[in-house]
Amino acid sequence: MNETVELQEQDILLLIQEKKLAILKGYISEMNPVDLAEILEDLNIQDSLLLLRLMPKELGAEVFSYFDVDKQKEIATRITDAELKYILDELYFDDMIDLLEEMPAEFVADVLKNAPYEERRLINEFLQYPEDSAGSLMTIEYVDLKVNMTVAEAIDHIRAIGMTKETVYTCYVTSQHNKLVGIVSLRTLVTEDREKTIGEIMGTEMISVHTLDDREEVAEVFKKYNFLAVPVVDKEYRLTGIITVDDIMEVIEEEATEDFQKMAAMSPTEEEYLDAGVMTLAKNRVSWLLILMISGAFTGAVVKGYSDLLSKVTVLAVFVPMLMNSGGNAGSQSATLIIRSMSLGEIEIADFLKVISKEAGVALLCGSTLAVVNFFRLVFIERIDVLIAFVVSVTLILTVMMAELIGGALPIIAKKFNLDPAIMAGPVITTIVDAGSLMIYFGFAQAVLR
Amino acid sequence: MNETVELQEQDILLLIQEKKLAILKGYISEMNPVDLAEILEDLNIQDSLLLLRLMPKELGAEVFSYFDVDKQKEIATRITDAELKYILDELYFDDMIDLLEEMPAEFVADVLKNAPYEERRLINEFLQYPEDSAGSLMTIEYVDLKVNMTVAEAIDHIRAIGMTKETVYTCYVTSQHNKLVGIVSLRTLVTEDREKTIGEIMGTEMISVHTLDDREEVAEVFKKYNFLAVPVVDKEYRLTGIITVDDIMEVIEEEATEDFQKMAAMSPTEEEYLDAGVMTLAKNRVSWLLILMISGAFTGAVVKGYSDLLSKVTVLAVFVPMLMNSGGNAGSQSATLIIRSMSLGEIEIADFLKVISKEAGVALLCGSTLAVVNFFRLVFIERIDVLIAFVVSVTLILTVMMAELIGGALPIIAKKFNLDPAIMAGPVITTIVDAGSLMIYFGFAQAVLR
């Protein structure tokens, strides 16, 4: 919350406290709805309802549309049916669907019961799109033009209906059977000759997405072509809705958040941290912790296998943490770079060999640097036996090499097998590299120190 | 690259090979410039130049604007001065500045020498904005209206100049001294009465950013208010440029990429993985690897301090990897969640206590689950001495608790001291937790097994 909004919140709280409702009403009517929504999310339910009822109905509906779904649910269950109906009517179709998806079934049934037939059919259809599909992101408030309209007629059409549409800046031209045949921007309409027909000026090299496309693919399309909106078609190439850029910005952030969570070995969730309960947070984390702990038993077995050696040369144990961490860190670096590049579309499965040869080079450079520094530190500062310093340093090179090659390769291999590359990040790589690293370490030590 | 574009690329390569230039010319003139740019980036420099020269000049300039900066540099140094001048004139101002920032000084001097005075002044001014500032993102191609224009005049103005502007969908109203006084959307212009004046219909509750604002703050503004463009003003509130949503999508992705890199203990870079040289990649990684390796010596010292105990009870070494990894994984989970939530603005410094108490709860749940599973596994499957299993399991709870509290706290503390929270991620947390975990482990073992 920025300072201006904070000051406004204090004003509002003061006016509520002093019950100066007439002044309050004037005050909030002039405010930006986004800022108002931010303030109302801070207030308790009574004060929120008071403010919502004080503001002009239209503004109230707009403020409501900016609430997060939890606040929307809370409000929706506390207001009268008439008030709720008004808000639902005012909401953009995609925002209404988002709300309905979160509400209990009887609430949805109630809304459906009161909706006219055509809207009921649409709501049902939209509620059925899979959560991560283009269909779940789209809205039906777009401007629909016909090929034989003139530019002047098209502009009149927009004048008549434009204010209720989510965007008017890209208009869609459809055939009699609602097939998408062209696209015209409002910029073109405004700058073109008013007598021309839409058919003459429309673009026909359209890029559209399919209702069942994954939302990540849709985001790719927006990023590549810098669109403000993209049309969504069904199997028969009929226009079923559009997706606007503001929703895509959210998708980009949510997808990154999901990757962050997966890469730190958690089940991804869209719930905000402060809203999530302790049980939910623990549940998202504990399964991966368990899996990794049990897989780690393999590393333990390696140590156990060399317990004779360890009991004779206890100093070997001193370097186990350093070797494990260096391997883990190097592997995380590689895996992170590759996973992120893959999710940005910069690296594909076909680049496997390029990645591997690059990682081999990087690993050799990083591994040798670490090994040299480590060798001199052990011999001259820690005064460790030269032979042991040698074993530790050679193991370090091999560990870093192994870690970076595995870190670079596994995410790509995962993708090849249609798994999410983000799973093959730091924690999993570390667990794999640890066992290998210690096998090299103890095996090499046993051979050299015999 | 999608399938259609791949097929087009094959067609183009074939036409080049068979030297069917007339057909090639017709073929590429019909293509989407974004797709063409994608294909040309794959081709060698000779073929790229051939194609660029075959296409209509305007299309060529547009295709050029979609190249990444490396390709732009390569082309710019190979074409004639006249060709380059044409392209520079056609580029949007922000794209030209981006290119000039990457070119050698003599190239920039050359461009400046040939530019008219006013443009020279602007270029110089824009080249001076810091890399991560709003100023470095803005363009000067916006539609500028005056208060006393009528709606009809404004639309005529847009008709006359609209096609050369980066966006016409938000127009900016400025005073005589170029101060920003209002904002009108093209949607409003099209739907309003043509006789009204801009002063009557413009919005005056504007949200603007300052030239020196950090680009992350600008992205916040876009996300909060769902803008397509935002005005940028200087200290005197004069309009100096606008930022459009397509550039902000890139910022959002780049900021996330930077966080991914920092969180895996690398120096952040904007260079794509496949473009970066082995030396660069190694340099970005090795310094953190060295720092973490040397900090890890502390953990080694803990092991060393207990070498007597270890040589007597060698089995203790078997559980070191598992304890270290579980601590590291738990710490990474907490740190990742908190860092990401902070960079999305969902958690602030003031939430410190909320985070700590939540993490304490989660840690208790996760730690005890791991400990119970581990205890039974050690006693019933691995047939380890109950006392040792007990020591390991209690250490596990304490390690997870410590890891999640440190992982939750350090990013917030970093922010408090104006450091980047993203540095306090997995690798750093792991290094800190390791030493603590092993101190608890060996200390507790010594006390119990004495």
Side-chain angles (χ1 to χ4, degrees):
Chain A
M1 201 177 273
N2 65 38
E3 274 174 50
T4 328
V5 181
E6 263 171 44
L7 290 176
Q8 288 174 324
E9 179 169 357
Q10 287 166 21
D11 288 345
I12 290 176
L13 284 172
L14 197 68
L15 289 169
I16 294 179
Q17 208 186 326
E18 299 181 349
K19 299 212 162 39
K20 295 188 175 161
L21 299 191
I23 302 175
L24 185 58
K25 187 171 177 170
Y27 187 94
I28 57 178
S29 306
E30 296 299 311
M31 280 184 61
N32 179 305
V34 181
D35 294 336
L36 261 176
E38 200 178 1
I39 292 173
L40 262 69
E41 289 207 338
D42 268 4
L43 302 185
N44 62 37
I45 181 77
Q46 279 78 20
D47 290 346
S48 306
L49 283 173
L50 171 69
L51 286 173
L52 276 176
R53 282 167 175 155
L54 275 180
M55 54 183 92
K57 268 180 161 185
E58 257 182 56
L59 178 63
E62 197 177 347
V63 168
F64 183 89
S65 76
Y66 292 117
F67 287 149
D68 64 30
V69 171
D70 286 335
K71 184 86 181 183
Q72 287 186 341
K73 273 168 77 172
E74 199 183 2
I75 300 279
T77 51
R78 300 285 201 109
I79 56 183
T80 67
D81 284 358
E83 284 169 328
L84 183 60
K85 187 171 177 336
Y86 180 83
I87 287 177
L88 285 175
D89 283 347
E90 287 289 312
L91 282 183
Y92 282 131
F93 194 78
D94 55 344
D95 292 334
M96 179 178 67
I97 296 294
D98 288 346
L99 174 59
L100 289 181
E101 271 168 352
E102 297 294 327
M103 298 296 286
E106 63 268 36
F107 179 91
V108 178
D110 221 47
V111 170
L112 285 173
K113 205 179 60 196
N114 295 316
Y117 171 75
E118 179 58 12
E119 194 178 328
R120 199 159 66 227
R121 197 189 59 73
L122 268 179
I123 293 175
N124 269 319
E125 187 186 323
F126 272 64
L127 283 174
Q128 271 158 34
Y129 290 118
E131 202 191 337
D132 282 344
S133 68
S136 75
L137 287 172
M138 66 188 182
T139 185
I140 52 169
E141 279 99 357
Y142 55 86
V143 176
D144 189 1
L145 303 176
K146 297 293 168 192
V147 175
N148 53 0
M149 277 180 168
T150 64
V151 169
E153 284 168 354
I155 290 181
D156 284 344
H157 182 61
I158 295 172
R159 285 172 71 99
I161 63 160
M163 278 303 170
T164 64
K165 300 301 174 189
E166 190 155 344
T167 182
V168 297
Y169 299 131
T170 319
C171 306
Y172 302 90
V173 189
T174 52
S175 72
Q176 245 183 321
H177 306 292
N178 205 28
K179 304 234 165 157
L180 180 64
V181 295
I183 219 163
V184 192
S185 68
L186 183 59
R187 182 203 292 248
T188 309
L189 284 176
V190 167
T191 49
E192 273 290 357
D193 190 346
R194 293 173 57 86
E195 307 306 317
K196 283 195 182 163
T197 66
I198 296 301
E200 290 174 80
I201 64 163
M202 71 186 186
T204 53
E205 287 281 323
M206 289 155 297
I207 285 149
S208 57
V209 298
H210 185 272
T211 42
L212 295 180
D213 282 352
D214 189 88
R215 59 184 203 159
E216 278 191 76
E217 292 168 43
V218 182
E220 290 308 317
V221 170
F222 271 88
K223 284 186 280 176
K224 182 171 170 194
Y225 298 100
N226 287 348
F227 287 147
L228 298 181
V230 77
V232 188
V233 297
D234 65 11
K235 263 179 280 176
E236 280 81 40
Y237 211 68
R238 280 181 308 228
L239 185 59
T240 50
I242 63 166
I243 297 174
T244 51
V245 67
D246 52 317
D247 294 322
I248 289 302
M249 284 213 284
E250 268 173 47
V251 169
I252 292 177
E253 290 229 304
E254 282 172 14
E255 292 293 334
T257 302
E258 228 176 66
D259 277 356
F260 274 111
Q261 293 172 345
K262 284 187 201 149
M263 289 168 73
M266 284 175 279
S267 312
T269 167
E270 281 180 18
E271 203 170 1
E272 286 192 18
Y273 179 84
L274 291 178
D275 295 339
V278 169
M279 276 304 284
T280 317
L281 286 172
K283 212 183 64 197
N284 291 339
R285 302 191 201 174
V286 78
S287 42
W288 268 105
L289 287 179
L290 276 172
I291 293 171
L292 292 168
M293 179 180 83
I294 290 168
S295 321
F298 194 65
T299 317
V302 174
V303 179
K304 201 172 181 179
Y306 287 97
S307 33
D308 268 4
L309 175 68
L310 256 181
S311 66
K312 282 178 210 139
V313 199
T314 346
V315 69
L316 286 178
V318 172
F319 306 106
V320 167
M322 188 273 288
L323 288 171
M324 283 175 53
N325 276 343
S326 296
N329 292 335
S332 297
Q333 289 180 334
S334 307
T336 301
L337 275 186
I338 303 307
I339 293 169
R340 181 65 180 160
S341 300
M342 287 177 84
S343 80
L344 292 177
E346 295 166 4
I347 291 182
E348 295 178 18
I349 296 175
D351 297 316
F352 186 76
L353 288 180
K354 274 190 229 166
V355 169
I356 293 304
S357 67
K358 214 160 219 179
E359 284 306 302
V362 175
L364 200 60
L365 280 173
C366 288
S368 348
T369 312
L370 291 189
V372 169
V373 172
N374 182 62
F375 185 79
F376 283 101
R377 201 183 69 82
L378 292 197
V379 174
F380 295 107
I381 300 179
E382 302 272 328
R383 305 279 173 194
I384 298 285
D385 182 78
V386 175
L387 203 58
I388 289 183
F390 175 73
V391 170
V392 173
S393 299
V394 170
T395 307
L396 194 52
I397 300 191
L398 295 174
T399 298
V400 170
M401 299 254 346
M402 180 174 63
E404 301 202 345
L405 289 174
I406 293 179
L410 271 193
I412 307 186
I413 295 173
K415 178 121 181 205
K416 176 81 188 161
F417 289 98
N418 282 322
L419 295 168
D420 188 335
I423 293 170
M424 297 301 174
V428 170
I429 306 285
T430 303
T431 303
I432 297 173
V433 171
D434 279 350
S437 165
L438 294 188
M439 279 200 302
I440 296 173
Y441 180 47
F442 292 126
F444 189 41
Q446 197 155 49
V448 170
L449 302 177
R450 185 166 284 157
Chain B
M1 202 178 269
N2 66 37
E3 274 173 49
T4 329
V5 181
E6 264 171 42
L7 291 175
Q8 289 174 322
E9 179 169 357
Q10 289 166 20
D11 288 345
I12 289 176
L13 283 172
L14 197 68
L15 290 169
I16 293 179
Q17 209 186 325
E18 300 181 348
K19 297 211 164 36
K20 295 191 174 158
L21 299 190
I23 301 174
L24 186 57
K25 189 171 174 169
Y27 187 93
I28 57 177
S29 306
E30 297 297 312
M31 280 183 60
N32 178 306
V34 181
D35 294 337
L36 262 176
E38 200 178 2
I39 291 173
L40 263 70
E41 290 208 337
D42 268 3
L43 302 184
N44 63 36
I45 181 79
Q46 279 77 22
D47 290 346
S48 304
L49 283 173
L50 172 70
L51 286 173
L52 276 176
R53 281 165 177 156
L54 276 179
M55 54 184 89
K57 267 179 162 183
E58 254 181 58
L59 178 62
E62 196 177 348
V63 168
F64 183 91
S65 77
Y66 292 119
F67 288 152
D68 65 33
V69 172
D70 286 334
K71 185 86 180 180
Q72 287 187 340
K73 272 167 79 172
E74 199 182 4
I75 300 278
T77 53
R78 303 284 202 109
I79 56 182
T80 68
D81 285 359
E83 286 171 329
L84 183 59
K85 188 175 174 331
Y86 180 82
I87 286 177
L88 285 175
D89 283 349
E90 287 288 312
L91 283 183
Y92 281 131
F93 195 79
D94 55 343
D95 292 333
M96 178 178 68
I97 295 293
D98 287 346
L99 173 59
L100 289 182
E101 272 169 353
E102 298 295 325
M103 298 296 285
E106 62 266 39
F107 180 93
V108 178
D110 223 46
V111 170
L112 285 174
K113 206 177 62 197
N114 295 315
Y117 170 76
E118 179 57 13
E119 194 177 330
R120 200 157 67 227
R121 197 188 59 72
L122 267 181
I123 294 176
N124 268 319
E125 187 187 320
F126 272 65
L127 284 175
Q128 272 158 31
Y129 290 119
E131 203 191 334
D132 282 343
S133 68
S136 75
L137 287 173
M138 66 186 180
T139 186
I140 53 169
E141 279 99 359
Y142 55 86
V143 176
D144 189 3
L145 303 176
K146 298 292 171 192
V147 174
N148 52 0
M149 279 178 165
T150 64
V151 169
E153 284 167 353
I155 289 180
D156 284 344
H157 181 62
I158 295 171
R159 283 173 74 99
I161 63 161
M163 277 304 169
T164 65
K165 301 302 175 189
E166 192 156 342
T167 182
V168 297
Y169 299 131
T170 318
C171 306
Y172 302 91
V173 190
T174 52
S175 72
Q176 245 183 323
H177 306 292
N178 205 29
K179 306 234 166 160
L180 180 65
V181 294
I183 219 164
V184 191
S185 70
L186 183 58
R187 180 202 292 247
T188 309
L189 284 176
V190 166
T191 46
E192 272 290 355
D193 189 347
R194 293 172 57 86
E195 307 306 318
K196 282 194 182 165
T197 66
I198 297 300
E200 289 175 82
I201 64 163
M202 71 186 187
T204 53
E205 288 281 323
M206 291 155 296
I207 285 148
S208 57
V209 298
H210 186 271
T211 43
L212 295 180
D213 282 352
D214 190 87
R215 60 184 202 159
E216 277 191 75
E217 291 168 44
V218 181
E220 290 307 318
V221 169
F222 270 87
K223 284 186 281 174
K224 182 172 170 192
Y225 297 100
N226 287 349
F227 287 146
L228 299 180
V230 78
V232 187
V233 296
D234 65 10
K235 263 179 282 178
E236 281 80 40
Y237 212 69
R238 280 181 308 227
L239 184 60
T240 51
I242 63 165
I243 296 173
T244 51
V245 68
D246 51 319
D247 295 321
I248 289 303
M249 283 212 283
E250 271 175 44
V251 169
I252 292 178
E253 290 228 304
E254 282 172 15
E255 293 292 335
T257 302
E258 228 176 67
D259 277 355
F260 274 111
Q261 293 173 343
K262 284 186 201 151
M263 287 167 73
M266 284 175 280
S267 313
T269 167
E270 280 180 19
E271 205 170 0
E272 285 191 17
Y273 179 84
L274 291 177
D275 294 338
V278 170
M279 276 303 284
T280 318
L281 286 172
K283 214 184 65 197
N284 291 338
R285 302 191 203 175
V286 78
S287 41
W288 268 106
L289 287 180
L290 277 172
I291 293 171
L292 292 168
M293 180 181 83
I294 291 169
S295 322
F298 193 67
T299 316
V302 173
V303 179
K304 201 171 181 181
Y306 287 98
S307 30
D308 268 5
L309 175 68
L310 258 181
S311 66
K312 281 179 211 138
V313 199
T314 347
V315 70
L316 286 178
V318 172
F319 306 106
V320 167
M322 186 274 287
L323 287 171
M324 282 175 56
N325 276 342
S326 297
N329 292 335
S332 296
Q333 289 180 334
S334 308
T336 301
L337 275 186
I338 302 306
I339 292 168
R340 182 64 180 161
S341 300
M342 286 175 85
S343 81
L344 292 177
E346 295 167 3
I347 291 183
E348 296 176 19
I349 297 175
D351 297 316
F352 186 76
L353 288 180
K354 274 190 226 165
V355 169
I356 293 304
S357 67
K358 215 160 216 178
E359 284 306 301
V362 175
L364 200 60
L365 281 173
C366 289
S368 347
T369 312
L370 290 189
V372 169
V373 172
N374 183 62
F375 184 80
F376 283 101
R377 201 182 68 84
L378 293 196
V379 173
F380 295 107
I381 301 178
E382 304 273 327
R383 304 277 172 194
I384 299 286
D385 181 82
V386 176
L387 204 55
I388 290 183
F390 175 71
V391 169
V392 173
S393 300
V394 171
T395 307
L396 194 52
I397 301 191
L398 295 174
T399 299
V400 170
M401 298 256 343
M402 179 173 62
E404 301 203 343
L405 289 175
I406 293 178
L410 270 193
I412 306 184
I413 294 173
K415 177 117 183 214
K416 176 81 188 164
F417 289 98
N418 282 320
L419 295 167
D420 189 336
I423 295 172
M424 298 302 176
V428 170
I429 305 285
T430 302
T431 304
I432 297 174
V433 170
D434 279 351
S437 163
L438 294 188
M439 280 200 305
I440 296 174
Y441 181 45
F442 292 127
F444 188 42
Q446 198 156 47
V448 170
L449 303 176
R450 183 168 285 158

